[in-house]
Amino acid sequence: TRSSAVTGVQTCALPICGELYTYSDITLKLYGSFIARLCTEGKNLAYMIMEQSVKMYGYESLDQAEEHA
């Protein structure tokens, strides 16, 4: 059930936690599978999002963006 899928979210300070309450059970399962797959591939979703964001601002990498910070 949704409540068991998001146990402890009430104590989470991250905006995504509140957003998870709006997801259907199917979406939560798919999202969980996606995150698990990324973990097995050694990838980090937060890093991937930051990397894509800096590229949209014209930087070639996170390192380059940090050099200009």
Side-chain angles (χ1 to χ4, degrees):
T1 68
R2 182 176 304 130
S3 59
S4 63
V6 292
T7 300
V9 169
Q10 302 89 321
T11 62
C12 184
L14 299 174
I16 187 71
C17 294
E19 183 179 337
L20 290 175
Y21 279 119
T22 67
Y23 294 174
S24 69
D25 289 343
I26 292 170
T27 300
L28 285 172
K29 288 176 186 175
L30 290 170
Y31 184 68
S33 296
F34 172 65
I35 298 300
R37 181 171 47 87
L38 289 178
C39 288
T40 61
E41 294 173 359
K43 297 178 181 176
N44 179 309
L45 181 59
Y47 184 88
M48 292 167 59
I49 291 169
M50 287 187 293
E51 188 173 49
Q52 186 61 37
S53 295
V54 298
K55 287 180 179 180
M56 292 174 68
Y57 281 102
Y59 297 103
E60 292 184 26
S61 67
L62 275 172
D63 289 335
Q64 185 187 41
E66 288 177 357
E67 289 172 7
H68 288 92

Short mmCIF file of all heavy atoms in Angstrom, two decimals:
data_model
loop_
_atom_site.label_atom_id
_atom_site.label_comp_id
_atom_site.label_asym_id
_atom_site.label_seq_id
_atom_site.Cartn_x
_atom_site.Cartn_y
_atom_site.Cartn_z
N THR A 1 0.83 -1.19 0.00
CA THR A 1 0.00 0.00 0.00
C THR A 1 0.87 1.25 0.00
O THR A 1 2.04 1.19 0.32
CB THR A 1 -0.93 0.03 1.22
OG1 THR A 1 -0.13 0.19 2.38
CG2 THR A 1 -1.81 -1.20 1.30
N ARG A 2 0.26 2.35 -0.33
CA ARG A 2 1.01 3.61 -0.39
C ARG A 2 1.59 3.97 0.97
O ARG A 2 2.73 4.39 1.07
CB ARG A 2 0.11 4.73 -0.89
CG ARG A 2 0.86 6.04 -1.01
CD ARG A 2 0.04 7.16 -1.60
NE ARG A 2 -0.51 6.77 -2.89
CZ ARG A 2 -1.77 6.91 -3.23
NH1 ARG A 2 -2.63 7.44 -2.41
NH2 ARG A 2 -2.19 6.54 -4.41
N SER A 3 0.82 3.78 2.03
CA SER A 3 1.34 4.18 3.35
C SER A 3 2.56 3.37 3.73
O SER A 3 3.49 3.90 4.32
CB SER A 3 0.25 4.04 4.42
OG SER A 3 -0.20 2.70 4.48
N SER A 4 2.61 2.09 3.40
CA SER A 4 3.79 1.30 3.73
C SER A 4 4.95 1.65 2.82
O SER A 4 6.11 1.53 3.20
CB SER A 4 3.49 -0.20 3.66
OG SER A 4 3.15 -0.56 2.33
N ALA A 5 4.67 2.14 1.62
CA ALA A 5 5.73 2.49 0.68
C ALA A 5 6.43 3.77 1.08
O ALA A 5 7.58 4.00 0.70
CB ALA A 5 5.16 2.62 -0.73
N VAL A 6 5.78 4.63 1.83
CA VAL A 6 6.37 5.91 2.20
C VAL A 6 6.47 6.08 3.71
O VAL A 6 6.44 7.18 4.23
CB VAL A 6 5.60 7.10 1.57
CG1 VAL A 6 5.75 7.12 0.08
CG2 VAL A 6 4.14 7.09 1.99
N THR A 7 6.65 4.98 4.42
CA THR A 7 6.76 5.03 5.87
C THR A 7 7.88 5.97 6.27
O THR A 7 8.97 5.91 5.72
CB THR A 7 7.02 3.62 6.44
OG1 THR A 7 5.93 2.79 6.07
CG2 THR A 7 7.17 3.65 7.94
N GLY A 8 7.63 6.85 7.22
CA GLY A 8 8.64 7.76 7.72
C GLY A 8 8.78 9.04 6.93
O GLY A 8 9.57 9.90 7.29
N VAL A 9 8.01 9.21 5.87
CA VAL A 9 8.12 10.41 5.05
C VAL A 9 7.77 11.65 5.84
O VAL A 9 8.31 12.71 5.60
CB VAL A 9 7.25 10.27 3.78
CG1 VAL A 9 7.14 11.60 3.06
CG2 VAL A 9 7.83 9.23 2.85
N GLN A 10 6.90 11.53 6.85
CA GLN A 10 6.48 12.69 7.62
C GLN A 10 7.68 13.42 8.22
O GLN A 10 7.62 14.62 8.43
CB GLN A 10 5.54 12.28 8.77
CG GLN A 10 4.30 11.57 8.33
CD GLN A 10 4.49 10.06 8.25
OE1 GLN A 10 5.53 9.56 7.84
NE2 GLN A 10 3.48 9.32 8.64
N THR A 11 8.76 12.72 8.52
CA THR A 11 9.92 13.34 9.14
C THR A 11 10.92 13.87 8.12
O THR A 11 11.91 14.46 8.48
CB THR A 11 10.63 12.35 10.06
OG1 THR A 11 11.08 11.24 9.29
CG2 THR A 11 9.70 11.86 11.16
N CYS A 12 10.66 13.68 6.86
CA CYS A 12 11.58 14.09 5.81
C CYS A 12 11.44 15.58 5.53
O CYS A 12 10.34 16.09 5.37
CB CYS A 12 11.32 13.28 4.54
SG CYS A 12 12.48 13.65 3.22
N ALA A 13 12.58 16.28 5.43
CA ALA A 13 12.56 17.72 5.18
C ALA A 13 12.66 18.03 3.69
O ALA A 13 12.55 19.18 3.30
CB ALA A 13 13.71 18.37 5.92
N LEU A 14 12.88 17.05 2.86
CA LEU A 14 13.04 17.28 1.43
C LEU A 14 11.69 17.47 0.75
O LEU A 14 10.73 16.77 1.06
CB LEU A 14 13.77 16.11 0.77
CG LEU A 14 15.18 15.83 1.28
CD1 LEU A 14 15.72 14.57 0.65
CD2 LEU A 14 16.09 17.00 0.98
N PRO A 15 11.59 18.40 -0.20
CA PRO A 15 10.32 18.63 -0.90
C PRO A 15 9.78 17.38 -1.60
O PRO A 15 8.58 17.19 -1.67
CB PRO A 15 10.67 19.71 -1.92
CG PRO A 15 11.86 20.39 -1.36
CD PRO A 15 12.62 19.34 -0.60
N ILE A 16 10.66 16.52 -2.08
CA ILE A 16 10.21 15.32 -2.80
C ILE A 16 9.36 14.42 -1.92
O ILE A 16 8.46 13.75 -2.40
CB ILE A 16 11.42 14.55 -3.40
CG1 ILE A 16 10.95 13.39 -4.29
CG2 ILE A 16 12.30 13.99 -2.31
CD1 ILE A 16 10.35 13.80 -5.58
N CYS A 17 9.61 14.42 -0.63
CA CYS A 17 8.86 13.53 0.26
C CYS A 17 7.38 13.84 0.25
O CYS A 17 6.55 12.94 0.15
CB CYS A 17 9.42 13.62 1.67
SG CYS A 17 11.09 12.98 1.81
N GLY A 18 7.02 15.11 0.34
CA GLY A 18 5.61 15.48 0.27
C GLY A 18 5.01 15.15 -1.07
O GLY A 18 3.86 14.75 -1.18
N GLU A 19 5.82 15.32 -2.10
CA GLU A 19 5.35 15.03 -3.45
C GLU A 19 5.04 13.54 -3.61
O GLU A 19 4.10 13.17 -4.32
CB GLU A 19 6.42 15.44 -4.47
CG GLU A 19 6.00 15.26 -5.90
CD GLU A 19 7.06 15.71 -6.89
OE1 GLU A 19 7.91 16.53 -6.54
OE2 GLU A 19 7.02 15.22 -8.02
N LEU A 20 5.79 12.68 -2.94
CA LEU A 20 5.56 11.24 -3.06
C LEU A 20 4.16 10.85 -2.63
O LEU A 20 3.59 9.88 -3.13
CB LEU A 20 6.60 10.46 -2.25
CG LEU A 20 8.02 10.49 -2.79
CD1 LEU A 20 8.97 9.79 -1.81
CD2 LEU A 20 8.12 9.89 -4.16
N TYR A 21 3.57 11.58 -1.72
CA TYR A 21 2.21 11.30 -1.27
C TYR A 21 1.19 11.45 -2.40
O TYR A 21 0.11 10.88 -2.35
CB TYR A 21 1.80 12.21 -0.12
CG TYR A 21 2.30 11.77 1.22
CD1 TYR A 21 3.14 12.58 1.97
CD2 TYR A 21 1.93 10.53 1.76
CE1 TYR A 21 3.59 12.18 3.21
CE2 TYR A 21 2.39 10.12 2.99
CZ TYR A 21 3.22 10.95 3.71
OH TYR A 21 3.66 10.56 4.94
N THR A 22 1.53 12.22 -3.42
CA THR A 22 0.59 12.44 -4.51
C THR A 22 0.69 11.37 -5.59
O THR A 22 -0.13 11.34 -6.49
CB THR A 22 0.83 13.82 -5.16
OG1 THR A 22 2.10 13.83 -5.83
CG2 THR A 22 0.77 14.93 -4.13
N TYR A 23 1.69 10.50 -5.51
CA TYR A 23 1.90 9.47 -6.54
C TYR A 23 0.99 8.27 -6.30
O TYR A 23 0.74 7.88 -5.16
CB TYR A 23 3.34 8.99 -6.54
CG TYR A 23 4.37 10.02 -6.94
CD1 TYR A 23 5.72 9.72 -6.85
CD2 TYR A 23 4.03 11.28 -7.41
CE1 TYR A 23 6.68 10.65 -7.22
CE2 TYR A 23 4.99 12.21 -7.78
CZ TYR A 23 6.31 11.88 -7.69
OH TYR A 23 7.27 12.79 -8.05
N SER A 24 0.56 7.65 -7.38
CA SER A 24 -0.22 6.42 -7.27
C SER A 24 0.70 5.29 -6.84
O SER A 24 1.94 5.39 -6.93
CB SER A 24 -0.86 6.08 -8.61
OG SER A 24 0.14 5.69 -9.55
N ASP A 25 0.12 4.18 -6.39
CA ASP A 25 0.91 3.01 -6.00
C ASP A 25 1.76 2.52 -7.18
O ASP A 25 2.92 2.15 -6.99
CB ASP A 25 0.00 1.89 -5.50
CG ASP A 25 -0.63 2.19 -4.15
OD1 ASP A 25 -0.13 3.11 -3.46
OD2 ASP A 25 -1.62 1.53 -3.80
N ILE A 26 1.18 2.52 -8.36
CA ILE A 26 1.92 2.05 -9.54
C ILE A 26 3.12 2.96 -9.82
O ILE A 26 4.23 2.49 -10.08
CB ILE A 26 1.00 1.97 -10.78
CG1 ILE A 26 -0.04 0.86 -10.57
CG2 ILE A 26 1.79 1.76 -12.05
CD1 ILE A 26 -1.14 0.85 -11.61
N THR A 27 2.90 4.26 -9.74
CA THR A 27 3.98 5.22 -9.97
C THR A 27 5.09 5.04 -8.93
O THR A 27 6.27 5.06 -9.26
CB THR A 27 3.46 6.66 -9.95
OG1 THR A 27 2.48 6.80 -10.99
CG2 THR A 27 4.57 7.67 -10.16
N LEU A 28 4.72 4.83 -7.66
CA LEU A 28 5.72 4.61 -6.62
C LEU A 28 6.54 3.36 -6.89
O LEU A 28 7.76 3.35 -6.72
CB LEU A 28 5.05 4.50 -5.25
CG LEU A 28 4.55 5.81 -4.65
CD1 LEU A 28 3.74 5.54 -3.40
CD2 LEU A 28 5.71 6.75 -4.36
N LYS A 29 5.88 2.30 -7.34
CA LYS A 29 6.61 1.06 -7.65
C LYS A 29 7.56 1.27 -8.82
O LYS A 29 8.70 0.80 -8.80
CB LYS A 29 5.61 -0.07 -7.93
CG LYS A 29 4.89 -0.56 -6.70
CD LYS A 29 3.85 -1.61 -7.04
CE LYS A 29 3.06 -1.96 -5.79
NZ LYS A 29 1.96 -2.87 -6.07
N LEU A 30 7.09 1.95 -9.85
CA LEU A 30 7.94 2.22 -11.01
C LEU A 30 9.12 3.11 -10.63
O LEU A 30 10.26 2.88 -11.06
CB LEU A 30 7.13 2.86 -12.14
CG LEU A 30 6.11 1.96 -12.83
CD1 LEU A 30 5.22 2.78 -13.75
CD2 LEU A 30 6.82 0.86 -13.59
N TYR A 31 8.86 4.14 -9.83
CA TYR A 31 9.92 5.03 -9.38
C TYR A 31 10.94 4.28 -8.54
O TYR A 31 12.15 4.43 -8.72
CB TYR A 31 9.32 6.20 -8.60
CG TYR A 31 10.33 7.23 -8.17
CD1 TYR A 31 10.96 8.04 -9.10
CD2 TYR A 31 10.64 7.41 -6.82
CE1 TYR A 31 11.88 9.00 -8.70
CE2 TYR A 31 11.56 8.36 -6.43
CZ TYR A 31 12.18 9.16 -7.37
OH TYR A 31 13.09 10.10 -6.97
N GLY A 32 10.45 3.43 -7.65
CA GLY A 32 11.35 2.61 -6.83
C GLY A 32 12.20 1.68 -7.68
O GLY A 32 13.41 1.53 -7.43
N SER A 33 11.61 1.08 -8.70
CA SER A 33 12.36 0.20 -9.61
C SER A 33 13.42 0.99 -10.37
O SER A 33 14.54 0.52 -10.58
CB SER A 33 11.42 -0.48 -10.60
OG SER A 33 10.53 -1.33 -9.93
N PHE A 34 13.05 2.20 -10.80
CA PHE A 34 13.98 3.07 -11.52
C PHE A 34 15.18 3.41 -10.64
O PHE A 34 16.33 3.30 -11.07
CB PHE A 34 13.24 4.33 -11.97
CG PHE A 34 14.12 5.40 -12.55
CD1 PHE A 34 14.80 5.19 -13.74
CD2 PHE A 34 14.26 6.62 -11.92
CE1 PHE A 34 15.61 6.18 -14.29
CE2 PHE A 34 15.05 7.62 -12.46
CZ PHE A 34 15.74 7.39 -13.64
N ILE A 35 14.92 3.80 -9.39
CA ILE A 35 16.00 4.16 -8.47
C ILE A 35 16.87 2.93 -8.18
O ILE A 35 18.10 3.02 -8.15
CB ILE A 35 15.44 4.75 -7.16
CG1 ILE A 35 14.68 6.05 -7.43
CG2 ILE A 35 16.53 4.97 -6.13
CD1 ILE A 35 15.51 7.15 -8.07
N ALA A 36 16.25 1.78 -7.98
CA ALA A 36 17.01 0.55 -7.72
C ALA A 36 17.91 0.21 -8.91
O ALA A 36 19.07 -0.18 -8.73
CB ALA A 36 16.06 -0.60 -7.43
N ARG A 37 17.39 0.39 -10.13
CA ARG A 37 18.19 0.11 -11.32
C ARG A 37 19.38 1.05 -11.41
O ARG A 37 20.50 0.64 -11.71
CB ARG A 37 17.34 0.21 -12.59
CG ARG A 37 18.13 -0.12 -13.87
CD ARG A 37 17.24 -0.23 -15.10
NE ARG A 37 16.29 0.84 -15.24
CZ ARG A 37 16.55 2.01 -15.86
NH1 ARG A 37 17.73 2.25 -16.35
NH2 ARG A 37 15.60 2.91 -15.98
N LEU A 38 19.13 2.33 -11.13
CA LEU A 38 20.24 3.29 -11.13
C LEU A 38 21.31 2.88 -10.13
O LEU A 38 22.51 2.97 -10.42
CB LEU A 38 19.74 4.70 -10.82
CG LEU A 38 18.90 5.40 -11.89
CD1 LEU A 38 18.45 6.77 -11.38
CD2 LEU A 38 19.66 5.54 -13.19
N CYS A 39 20.89 2.44 -8.96
CA CYS A 39 21.85 2.03 -7.92
C CYS A 39 22.69 0.84 -8.39
O CYS A 39 23.90 0.83 -8.18
CB CYS A 39 21.12 1.67 -6.63
SG CYS A 39 20.48 3.11 -5.77
N THR A 40 22.04 -0.12 -9.02
CA THR A 40 22.80 -1.29 -9.49
C THR A 40 23.76 -0.91 -10.61
O THR A 40 24.78 -1.56 -10.81
CB THR A 40 21.87 -2.42 -9.98
OG1 THR A 40 21.10 -1.97 -11.08
CG2 THR A 40 20.98 -2.93 -8.87
N GLU A 41 23.46 0.18 -11.32
CA GLU A 41 24.34 0.67 -12.38
C GLU A 41 25.37 1.65 -11.85
O GLU A 41 26.18 2.19 -12.61
CB GLU A 41 23.50 1.35 -13.48
CG GLU A 41 22.58 0.41 -14.22
CD GLU A 41 21.64 1.12 -15.17
OE1 GLU A 41 21.69 2.37 -15.26
OE2 GLU A 41 20.84 0.44 -15.83
N GLY A 42 25.34 1.89 -10.53
CA GLY A 42 26.29 2.80 -9.92
C GLY A 42 26.02 4.26 -10.23
O GLY A 42 26.93 5.10 -10.20
N LYS A 43 24.77 4.59 -10.53
CA LYS A 43 24.40 5.96 -10.88
C LYS A 43 23.64 6.61 -9.73
O LYS A 43 23.07 5.93 -8.89
CB LYS A 43 23.54 5.98 -12.14
CG LYS A 43 24.29 5.46 -13.36
CD LYS A 43 23.40 5.46 -14.58
CE LYS A 43 24.16 4.92 -15.79
NZ LYS A 43 23.29 4.81 -16.97
N ASN A 44 23.66 7.94 -9.70
CA ASN A 44 23.02 8.72 -8.66
C ASN A 44 22.08 9.71 -9.33
O ASN A 44 22.54 10.60 -10.06
CB ASN A 44 24.10 9.44 -7.84
CG ASN A 44 23.53 10.28 -6.74
OD1 ASN A 44 22.64 11.10 -6.96
ND2 ASN A 44 24.07 10.12 -5.55
N LEU A 45 20.79 9.60 -9.08
CA LEU A 45 19.80 10.44 -9.74
C LEU A 45 20.02 11.93 -9.44
O LEU A 45 19.94 12.76 -10.33
CB LEU A 45 18.38 10.04 -9.36
CG LEU A 45 17.25 10.84 -10.02
CD1 LEU A 45 17.33 10.74 -11.55
CD2 LEU A 45 15.90 10.37 -9.52
N ALA A 46 20.32 12.26 -8.20
CA ALA A 46 20.55 13.67 -7.85
C ALA A 46 21.72 14.23 -8.64
O ALA A 46 21.65 15.34 -9.17
CB ALA A 46 20.79 13.81 -6.35
N TYR A 47 22.79 13.47 -8.76
CA TYR A 47 23.96 13.90 -9.52
C TYR A 47 23.60 14.06 -11.00
O TYR A 47 23.99 15.04 -11.64
CB TYR A 47 25.10 12.89 -9.36
CG TYR A 47 26.37 13.30 -10.05
CD1 TYR A 47 27.31 14.08 -9.39
CD2 TYR A 47 26.64 12.91 -11.36
CE1 TYR A 47 28.48 14.47 -10.02
CE2 TYR A 47 27.80 13.30 -12.00
CZ TYR A 47 28.73 14.07 -11.32
OH TYR A 47 29.87 14.45 -11.95
N MET A 48 22.83 13.11 -11.52
CA MET A 48 22.44 13.17 -12.93
C MET A 48 21.61 14.42 -13.21
O MET A 48 21.78 15.07 -14.25
CB MET A 48 21.64 11.90 -13.30
CG MET A 48 22.47 10.64 -13.30
SD MET A 48 21.47 9.11 -13.38
CE MET A 48 20.60 9.33 -14.90
N ILE A 49 20.73 14.77 -12.29
CA ILE A 49 19.89 15.96 -12.46
C ILE A 49 20.75 17.22 -12.41
O ILE A 49 20.59 18.12 -13.25
CB ILE A 49 18.78 16.00 -11.39
CG1 ILE A 49 17.76 14.88 -11.65
CG2 ILE A 49 18.09 17.36 -11.36
CD1 ILE A 49 16.77 14.66 -10.53
N MET A 50 21.67 17.28 -11.45
CA MET A 50 22.55 18.46 -11.36
C MET A 50 23.42 18.58 -12.61
O MET A 50 23.61 19.68 -13.14
CB MET A 50 23.43 18.36 -10.12
CG MET A 50 22.70 18.61 -8.83
SD MET A 50 23.78 18.72 -7.38
CE MET A 50 24.38 17.04 -7.28
N GLU A 51 23.92 17.44 -13.08
CA GLU A 51 24.77 17.45 -14.28
C GLU A 51 24.00 17.97 -15.49
O GLU A 51 24.49 18.80 -16.25
CB GLU A 51 25.28 16.03 -14.53
CG GLU A 51 26.31 15.92 -15.62
CD GLU A 51 26.90 14.54 -15.70
OE1 GLU A 51 26.12 13.56 -15.73
OE2 GLU A 51 28.12 14.43 -15.72
N GLN A 52 22.78 17.52 -15.66
CA GLN A 52 21.95 17.97 -16.78
C GLN A 52 21.60 19.45 -16.64
O GLN A 52 21.59 20.19 -17.62
CB GLN A 52 20.67 17.13 -16.88
CG GLN A 52 19.84 17.44 -18.10
CD GLN A 52 20.58 17.19 -19.41
OE1 GLN A 52 21.35 16.25 -19.54
NE2 GLN A 52 20.35 18.03 -20.39
N SER A 53 21.35 19.88 -15.42
CA SER A 53 21.00 21.28 -15.18
C SER A 53 22.14 22.21 -15.58
O SER A 53 21.91 23.22 -16.25
CB SER A 53 20.66 21.50 -13.70
OG SER A 53 19.49 20.79 -13.36
N VAL A 54 23.37 21.88 -15.18
CA VAL A 54 24.49 22.77 -15.53
C VAL A 54 24.75 22.77 -17.03
O VAL A 54 25.14 23.79 -17.60
CB VAL A 54 25.78 22.47 -14.74
CG1 VAL A 54 25.56 22.66 -13.25
CG2 VAL A 54 26.34 21.10 -15.04
N LYS A 55 24.48 21.66 -17.68
CA LYS A 55 24.63 21.61 -19.15
C LYS A 55 23.61 22.51 -19.82
O LYS A 55 23.91 23.15 -20.83
CB LYS A 55 24.51 20.17 -19.65
CG LYS A 55 25.73 19.34 -19.30
CD LYS A 55 25.61 17.92 -19.81
CE LYS A 55 26.87 17.15 -19.44
NZ LYS A 55 26.82 15.76 -19.91
N MET A 56 22.42 22.61 -19.25
CA MET A 56 21.40 23.49 -19.80
C MET A 56 21.80 24.96 -19.64
O MET A 56 21.33 25.81 -20.38
CB MET A 56 20.05 23.21 -19.14
CG MET A 56 19.49 21.85 -19.53
SD MET A 56 17.99 21.39 -18.64
CE MET A 56 16.84 22.57 -19.32
N TYR A 57 22.66 25.25 -18.67
CA TYR A 57 23.18 26.60 -18.49
C TYR A 57 24.43 26.86 -19.33
O TYR A 57 25.03 27.92 -19.23
CB TYR A 57 23.48 26.86 -17.01
CG TYR A 57 22.24 27.19 -16.21
CD1 TYR A 57 21.65 26.23 -15.40
CD2 TYR A 57 21.66 28.45 -16.27
CE1 TYR A 57 20.51 26.52 -14.66
CE2 TYR A 57 20.52 28.75 -15.55
CZ TYR A 57 19.95 27.78 -14.74
OH TYR A 57 18.82 28.08 -14.02
N GLY A 58 24.84 25.87 -20.11
CA GLY A 58 25.95 26.06 -21.02
C GLY A 58 27.29 25.52 -20.58
O GLY A 58 28.28 25.65 -21.29
N TYR A 59 27.35 24.92 -19.40
CA TYR A 59 28.60 24.33 -18.93
C TYR A 59 28.75 22.93 -19.50
O TYR A 59 27.76 22.25 -19.79
CB TYR A 59 28.65 24.28 -17.41
CG TYR A 59 28.61 25.64 -16.76
CD1 TYR A 59 27.44 26.11 -16.17
CD2 TYR A 59 29.73 26.45 -16.74
CE1 TYR A 59 27.39 27.37 -15.57
CE2 TYR A 59 29.70 27.70 -16.15
CZ TYR A 59 28.53 28.15 -15.58
OH TYR A 59 28.49 29.39 -15.00
N GLU A 60 30.00 22.49 -19.64
CA GLU A 60 30.24 21.15 -20.17
C GLU A 60 30.14 20.08 -19.08
O GLU A 60 29.90 18.92 -19.39
CB GLU A 60 31.62 21.09 -20.83
CG GLU A 60 31.69 21.92 -22.11
CD GLU A 60 33.03 21.78 -22.80
OE1 GLU A 60 33.70 20.75 -22.62
OE2 GLU A 60 33.39 22.71 -23.53
N SER A 61 30.32 20.48 -17.83
CA SER A 61 30.30 19.51 -16.73
C SER A 61 30.03 20.22 -15.41
O SER A 61 30.09 21.45 -15.32
CB SER A 61 31.66 18.80 -16.65
OG SER A 61 32.66 19.72 -16.26
N LEU A 62 29.79 19.42 -14.37
CA LEU A 62 29.63 19.97 -13.03
C LEU A 62 30.93 20.63 -12.56
O LEU A 62 30.91 21.68 -11.94
CB LEU A 62 29.24 18.87 -12.04
CG LEU A 62 27.76 18.55 -11.94
CD1 LEU A 62 27.54 17.32 -11.08
CD2 LEU A 62 26.99 19.72 -11.41
N ASP A 63 32.04 20.00 -12.89
CA ASP A 63 33.34 20.57 -12.50
C ASP A 63 33.52 21.96 -13.09
O ASP A 63 33.96 22.89 -12.40
CB ASP A 63 34.49 19.65 -12.94
CG ASP A 63 34.56 18.38 -12.14
OD1 ASP A 63 34.08 18.36 -10.98
OD2 ASP A 63 35.11 17.39 -12.66
N GLN A 64 33.18 22.12 -14.36
CA GLN A 64 33.32 23.42 -15.00
C GLN A 64 32.39 24.45 -14.33
O GLN A 64 32.79 25.58 -14.09
CB GLN A 64 33.02 23.33 -16.49
CG GLN A 64 33.27 24.65 -17.22
CD GLN A 64 32.83 24.61 -18.66
OE1 GLN A 64 31.78 24.07 -18.99
NE2 GLN A 64 33.66 25.21 -19.53
N ALA A 65 31.17 24.04 -14.01
CA ALA A 65 30.23 24.96 -13.36
C ALA A 65 30.74 25.37 -11.99
O ALA A 65 30.63 26.53 -11.59
CB ALA A 65 28.86 24.30 -13.26
N GLU A 66 31.31 24.42 -11.26
CA GLU A 66 31.84 24.73 -9.92
C GLU A 66 33.03 25.67 -9.99
O GLU A 66 33.22 26.50 -9.11
CB GLU A 66 32.23 23.43 -9.20
CG GLU A 66 31.03 22.64 -8.76
CD GLU A 66 31.39 21.31 -8.11
OE1 GLU A 66 32.60 20.97 -8.04
OE2 GLU A 66 30.47 20.62 -7.65
N GLU A 67 33.82 25.57 -11.05
CA GLU A 67 34.96 26.47 -11.21
C GLU A 67 34.50 27.92 -11.39
O GLU A 67 35.21 28.85 -11.03
CB GLU A 67 35.80 26.05 -12.43
CG GLU A 67 36.58 24.77 -12.21
CD GLU A 67 37.25 24.27 -13.47
OE1 GLU A 67 37.24 24.99 -14.51
OE2 GLU A 67 37.80 23.17 -13.45
N HIS A 68 33.32 28.09 -11.96
CA HIS A 68 32.79 29.43 -12.21
C HIS A 68 31.90 29.92 -11.08
O HIS A 68 31.36 31.02 -11.15
CB HIS A 68 32.01 29.45 -13.54
CG HIS A 68 32.91 29.36 -14.72
ND1 HIS A 68 33.24 28.15 -15.29
CD2 HIS A 68 33.57 30.31 -15.40
CE1 HIS A 68 34.05 28.37 -16.31
NE2 HIS A 68 34.28 29.67 -16.40
N ALA A 69 31.73 29.14 -10.05
CA ALA A 69 30.84 29.52 -8.94
C ALA A 69 31.50 30.54 -8.04
O ALA A 69 32.65 30.67 -7.92
CB ALA A 69 30.46 28.28 -8.12
#
